[in-house]
Amino acid sequence: TAGESMGSAVRALLLDAVGTVIRLREPPARVYARVAESHGIGVDAAQLRRRLRAQLARPPSLPLDGLQLSEVPEREREGWRSIVRNALGDTAADGPCFDSLFTLYGSADVWEVVPRAPQALDLVRTRDIRIAIVSNMDARFPNLLKQLGLAGRVDEIVIPSNCGLAKPDPRIFHVALERVEVSAAMTLYIGDRELDCVDAARAAGLRALRYDPAADDGAPDVLGSWDDLSDRLA
């Protein structure tokens, strides 16, 4: 299996973003409540947590077919507006509260890099392995990656706003392979979710590992620590 051996040499590494190389600094409900209250919008904390949990279990599903690439960022923004509307109500969604939240989540103020990920990526680059992030993050993501100091560690960023596709559509992985100019057989994907990350990558013909620091040691097809990446690429 992929967990036991990578087989043929890995010449490209494709990565998910959230939960794999970056993560939120604090729970979204806490941030939403703080921002809403700063705009004079009262919040029921327990209700907000329930609503956000349901909304963020699957972020905005974008019907991208038929859209021009230039139209995707606005569709993404409106998708997030619907989340704010369902979580905080119309006043928040249609006013400056939404603008504050949208700007905040496009900044490094609420995000951090997963520990040891930068060191692992630096090691990968010394082996002349191409690196791309394949994510459903929106058009704010490239600038966020710069703010977090990761932009210089990857060769390509493949997101809906620059390719017109989103996971779990396997075609987004084909776009990434074309951009790094490496075949699927020589590419490894790492993501934190089984269904729309790992399974989607395998459907595209890639070998894949699920990133899960809480997994039992030796769990098959799982990367439990970024410090273990070197062994998986050997």
Side-chain angles (χ1 to χ4, degrees):
T1 66
E4 295 166 347
S5 171
M6 289 299 99
S8 59
V10 174
R11 304 310 317 156
L13 179 66
L14 306 187
L15 304 167
D16 183 36
V18 180
T20 304
V21 294
I22 66 172
R23 65 188 185 188
L24 291 169
R25 294 179 182 270
E26 58 182 320
R30 188 181 303 165
V31 177
Y32 273 53
R34 187 164 63 242
V35 173
E37 288 166 356
S38 75
H39 286 276
I41 298 171
V43 172
D44 180 313
Q47 184 181 68
L48 176 59
R49 284 194 299 271
R50 286 194 301 272
R51 288 177 174 177
L52 267 183
R53 189 178 302 117
Q55 288 289 300
L56 298 178
R58 186 161 294 276
S61 177
L62 302 175
L64 299 175
D65 291 345
L67 282 184
Q68 299 292 323
L69 281 182
S70 60
E71 298 174 304
V72 174
E74 183 59 25
R75 178 67 60 84
E76 292 172 328
R77 182 181 175 91
E78 291 309 303
W80 285 109
R81 190 185 302 277
S82 70
I83 285 182
V84 173
R85 189 180 308 282
N86 291 329
L88 292 171
D90 291 342
T91 300
D94 295 328
C97 179
F98 170 77
D99 296 326
S100 296
L101 282 167
F102 194 78
T103 298
L104 183 61
Y105 275 95
S107 77
D109 292 341
V110 295
W111 297 94
E112 64 184 7
V113 179
V114 170
R116 303 297 297 169
Q119 293 85 347
L121 298 185
D122 289 344
L123 179 60
V124 168
R125 291 179 70 83
T126 67
R127 300 186 180 187
D128 196 29
I129 294 173
R130 301 274 288 168
I131 301 174
I133 291 184
V134 182
S135 171
N136 286 356
M137 290 283 279
D138 61 41
R140 296 170 292 176
F141 182 59
N143 185 55
L144 175 62
L145 213 60
K146 290 179 183 177
Q147 293 181 51
L148 292 170
L150 290 178
R153 289 180 161 97
V154 303
D155 299 296
E156 298 287 344
I157 299 171
V158 182
I159 54 178
S161 62
N162 68 24
C163 74
L165 298 164
K167 293 181 293 183
D169 190 330
R171 293 178 296 171
I172 194 171
F173 296 100
H174 298 158
V175 170
L177 293 173
E178 290 175 3
R179 293 185 182 177
V180 297
E181 299 181 305
V182 177
S183 70
M186 301 179 73
T187 300
L188 173 66
Y189 173 80
I190 300 174
D192 67 308
R193 293 187 307 280
E194 197 74 37
L195 181 61
D196 55 352
C197 282
V198 173
D199 287 349
R202 289 175 180 152
L206 283 70
R207 291 165 288 178
L209 299 175
R210 180 170 57 84
Y211 175 71
D212 184 1
D216 295 334
D217 289 344
D221 299 330
V222 172
L223 181 71
S225 167
W226 279 108
D227 289 332
D228 297 335
L229 180 61
S230 180
D231 292 338
R232 296 304 182 93
L233 298 175

